[in-house]
Amino acid sequence: MPFTALLLNASVAFTGFYLISKLYHSDRFGSFRFRGFLIGLMTGGLGLFLMMNAVQANEEVRVDLRYLPLVLLAFYGARFPLLIATVIIASTRFLFGLTDQAVVAFIATFVIGVGMWWIHRHVHRLLLQSMLLHVWALVITSISILINLGWNTAYVEIVLTFWVVGLLVGTLASLLAIDLEQMTRRSKEYKHSAERDHLTGLFNRRMWEERTTSLVSERRAYNVLALDIDHFKHVNDTYGHPNGDLVLKRFAELLKVETRAHDVVARIGGEEFVILIYDLSPEKVVKVAERIRERIAVEAFVLSDGTSIRISTSIGIAHGSALPVESMS
């Protein structure tokens, strides 16, 4: 079996790894469920391509690297895309005929997929996990080849070549997947740091100004709530700044609870907060503000020593263009 043919397939799989990884970490393709479905189809398609370009070991047995795309999905813990890709790769094996070899390959693909998911769930060190995913696939594939081909010199040659290429590509693919994962995490951390207030996790002043710059030109009704914690300096002076931080964090949590997911909540100063609310009438926004004020007033803010204190907040309201509005639940 030509070594170069398997290496060429591995190069295609390697490229597919990169593209699927970029899609997995992108948020430009609708909901996560739709993106997962798309990733499953792409991965299944890549597996089909590798299968169509398999190396013919002999008149009956074909050897390919269809398992490689499944490794990436298992590494990311993408259960739904992994299921879709496994079904596609396993089922399309019958395109080459309903033979005993096809049945063995069908079963082996599902065993590989299930085993990969188990490894992802129980092995958490990234490099070890990734390598075990490859080894598991190589082991099951080697067993399926043994069933189809039997133990002979041809089998030993095929499996040795298969393992050499598989481990080489597996190591490179593992390093690529880990590097992409770490780069994505760092990028998200940098983005979060640039957009969020370090203490409360709300949007910071820079993001608030960015989100509100175009308000005048938007053809939507909008309202801005400006909130200030009453006598917050007294809290800091009496209980200390660490406890003041606890109060600020809990205050921010309550604002998130009392607003909708698409409302913009930001901390723009020490104890100064703002909320941008779209598509509500002035009357309903007043009710929202009153609900927030009452929630803050009845909340027991727990300090580091277990002491509970009460605070209050003052809220100012500004209204933008009045357009048809919807209710806020």
Side-chain angles (χ1 to χ4, degrees), residues 20-315:
I20 293 170
S21 295
K22 297 295 287 185
L23 177 60
Y24 180 82
H25 290 108
S26 173
D27 56 359
R28 300 178 182 178
F29 293 88
S31 66
F32 181 77
R33 176 66 65 174
F34 175 76
R35 192 163 75 251
F37 180 73
L38 185 60
I39 291 170
L41 290 180
M42 285 184 59
T43 306
L46 178 59
L48 178 59
F49 175 86
L50 295 172
M51 197 185 313
M52 295 292 291
N53 291 273
V55 176
Q56 195 74 38
N58 59 24
E59 294 181 356
E60 297 180 344
V61 178
R62 298 165 56 90
V63 178
D64 57 66
L65 299 173
R66 80 190 76 169
Y67 73 87
L68 280 176
L70 301 180
V71 171
L72 183 64
L73 298 186
F75 176 78
Y76 285 134
R79 181 173 55 184
F80 179 57
L82 178 61
L83 175 62
I84 293 175
T86 300
V87 171
I88 292 174
I89 294 172
S91 301
T92 50
R93 178 61 179 83
F94 293 110
L95 292 175
F96 302 98
L98 184 58
T99 63
D100 292 342
Q101 290 75 20
V103 172
V104 171
F106 177 86
I107 296 173
T109 302
F110 272 97
V111 172
I112 288 173
V114 172
M116 284 181 174
W117 182 250
W118 187 93
I119 291 171
H120 169 78
R121 293 289 301 274
H122 293 86
V123 180
H124 303 295
R125 294 177 59 182
L126 293 184
L127 182 57
L128 177 60
Q129 178 193 112
S130 185
M131 292 307 301
L132 285 177
L133 291 172
H134 287 281
V135 170
W136 170 254
L138 290 170
V139 168
I140 299 303
T141 304
S142 298
I143 293 173
S144 67
I145 297 173
L146 177 62
I147 294 172
N148 287 329
L149 193 61
W151 182 270
N152 51 45
T153 303
Y155 169 77
V156 174
E157 180 184 347
I158 291 170
V159 169
L160 284 178
T161 304
F162 188 65
W163 273 78
V164 169
V165 175
L167 289 177
L168 174 62
V169 176
T171 301
L172 294 175
S174 297
L175 294 176
L176 173 64
I178 292 172
D179 186 57
L180 287 172
E181 183 69 10
Q182 292 176 341
M183 286 179 58
T184 301
R185 289 179 182 178
R186 285 195 295 268
S187 176
K188 289 181 178 179
E189 289 172 358
Y190 294 151
K191 186 174 185 293
H192 187 276
S193 177
E195 296 180 349
R196 301 284 176 168
D197 172 59
H198 71 281
L199 178 65
T200 63
L202 301 179
F203 286 117
N204 56 24
R205 177 182 286 274
R206 187 185 72 83
M207 278 302 297
W208 172 258
E209 293 175 351
E210 182 177 313
R211 295 292 295 270
T212 56
T213 298
S214 60
L215 281 180
V216 176
S217 61
E218 292 185 15
R219 294 190 56 79
R220 297 177 66 184
Y222 63 87
N223 306 271
V224 174
L225 274 59
L227 302 92
D228 189 275
I229 300 177
D230 299 330
H231 311 296
F232 185 69
K233 184 177 183 300
H234 175 73
V235 175
N236 278 333
D237 292 343
T238 303
Y239 303 103
H241 287 276
N243 281 317
D245 289 346
L246 292 178
V247 171
L248 290 172
K249 287 193 284 188
R250 181 56 183 160
F251 186 88
E253 291 171 358
L254 293 176
L255 295 186
K256 294 295 290 183
V257 169
E258 294 298 330
T259 53
R260 302 171 297 186
H262 59 275
D263 294 330
V264 181
V265 185
R267 180 189 178 206
I268 60 172
E271 68 274 20
E272 300 172 5
F273 297 80
V274 283
I275 305 173
L276 173 62
I277 301 177
Y278 282 108
D279 304 328
L280 285 184
S281 67
E283 294 77 15
K284 289 179 179 176
V285 170
V286 170
K287 292 181 179 180
V288 172
E290 182 62 19
R291 189 179 71 207
I292 293 174
R293 189 194 65 79
E294 292 177 353
R295 177 65 187 273
I296 298 299
V298 300
E299 178 73 14
F301 288 79
V302 181
L303 307 183
S304 58
D305 62 356
T307 302
S308 296
I309 64 172
R310 304 280 183 176
I311 65 171
S312 59
T313 182
S314 300
I315 305 177

